[in-house]
Amino acid sequence: MSQALIFDMDGTLFQTDEILELSLTDTFDHLRSLNQWDTVPPIETYREIMGVPLPKVWETLLPNHSYEIREQMNAYFLERLIENISSGKGALYPHVEEVFSYLKENKYSIYIASNGLTEYLQAIVRYYQLDQWVTETFSIQQIQTLDKADLVRTIIEKYRIKNAAVVGDRLSDINAAKENGLVAIGCNFDFAREDELSQADIVIEELIELKTIVPTLNK
């Protein structure tokens, strides 16, 4: 039986789309006020690259802007995300609390491994009180490589995990599982891509499916 579940946050537990457009629009309106932007916010581009670390996001969204401007926009975007989370404009995916309660009752350990920044993740965990189920939340900020496989390895080593599955919607989650010898469970949710999910061991359409899948993982 698998002893631990390591979850991605954005697009897996948290419906990032609920606040993404709002926060990006705020950010690019701010950039426009600085006379550094003159067109629509690149929301679709962000959706395509969802799941990569934020420094890579701003390199992609602002390829012709300076490092200083990217840093400013990264900080402003983070502020807007946290404000929108704290004011209740976001949402968890259906069944998160039910699945977490089930896992906890059945002695599974729950971890979060995300490419999101620590402050952002803390805002989600705090608002939705996820700490009642989650042992620890890990941010990509905690490691130098910005590689999710290394982040998952950090969790495995810290908690001496022998059997686990990684649950996520993007290739970085699937690769993080496979590179650490874990089961890769792909989530066919908002930001998922068919070509990436095809590399997962299992694909789910809703988190509630984990209640029947998890007990069978290591049989």
Side-chain angles (χ1 to χ4, degrees):
M1 181 175 287
S2 185
Q3 300 169 343
L5 274 292
I6 302 171
F7 288 85
D8 174 45
M9 179 67 91
D10 289 311
T12 299
L13 298 176
F14 185 67
Q15 296 188 58
T16 316
D17 230 12
E18 295 280 332
I19 60 169
L20 176 63
E21 185 168 346
L22 188 62
S23 303
L24 265 184
T25 298
D26 288 345
T27 303
F28 279 87
D29 282 348
H30 179 60
L31 192 59
R32 187 178 288 107
S33 75
L34 301 175
N35 296 316
Q36 293 281 342
W37 192 259
D38 60 3
T39 185
V40 297
I43 293 166
E44 287 307 317
T45 302
Y46 192 106
R47 287 195 177 104
E48 290 172 10
I49 61 172
M50 193 70 188
V52 304
L54 274 176
K56 298 291 185 184
V57 167
W58 294 106
E59 286 176 19
T60 304
L61 299 185
L62 299 175
N64 300 317
H65 288 71
S66 68
Y67 174 81
E68 288 73 23
I69 288 291
R70 290 178 193 161
E71 286 290 289
Q72 288 177 34
M73 291 308 103
N74 187 39
Y76 191 88
F77 183 53
L78 181 61
E79 287 176 13
R80 297 312 306 150
L81 285 170
I82 290 171
E83 173 60 31
N84 287 322
I85 291 163
S86 301
S87 60
K89 293 177 182 174
L92 297 177
Y93 277 96
H95 311 298
V96 168
E97 288 148 336
E98 180 182 350
V99 168
F100 276 11
S101 294
Y102 166 83
L103 293 172
K104 196 74 171 177
E105 287 166 8
N106 286 276
K107 311 300 183 187
Y108 292 92
S109 298
I110 302 169
Y111 306 91
I112 293 171
S114 172
N115 282 334
L117 299 182
T118 301
E119 195 177 349
Y120 165 73
L121 298 173
Q122 288 174 344
I124 298 171
V125 169
R126 183 169 55 248
Y127 186 84
Y128 296 102
Q129 300 179 347
L130 297 181
D131 274 347
Q132 61 187 298
W133 301 292
V134 177
T135 301
E136 189 172 352
T137 298
F138 291 78
S139 164
I140 202 72
Q141 275 186 298
Q142 294 172 237
I143 59 170
Q144 292 185 339
T145 62
L146 299 183
D147 184 333
K148 192 169 246 188
D150 292 336
L151 186 62
V152 167
R153 190 170 299 113
T154 298
I155 300 172
I156 293 169
E157 291 174 354
K158 178 173 181 177
Y159 288 96
R160 299 180 180 178
I161 295 168
K162 301 297 183 186
N163 298 304
V166 176
V167 184
D169 65 317
R170 298 306 303 263
L171 187 60
S172 60
D173 304 302
I174 295 166
N175 286 342
K178 291 186 175 294
E179 289 181 32
N180 286 288
L182 308 181
V183 176
I185 301 177
C187 299
N188 192 16
F189 299 171
D190 295 321
F191 302 104
R193 297 174 57 159
E194 188 176 346
D195 59 325
E196 296 182 358
L197 289 178
S198 67
Q199 299 181 54
D201 298 308
I202 301 166
V203 176
I204 60 174
E205 303 294 329
E206 287 189 294
L207 287 169
I208 197 70
E209 295 173 50
L210 291 174
K211 289 177 69 172
T212 54
I213 289 170
V214 168
T216 71
L217 286 179
N218 288 314
K219 287 187 177 179

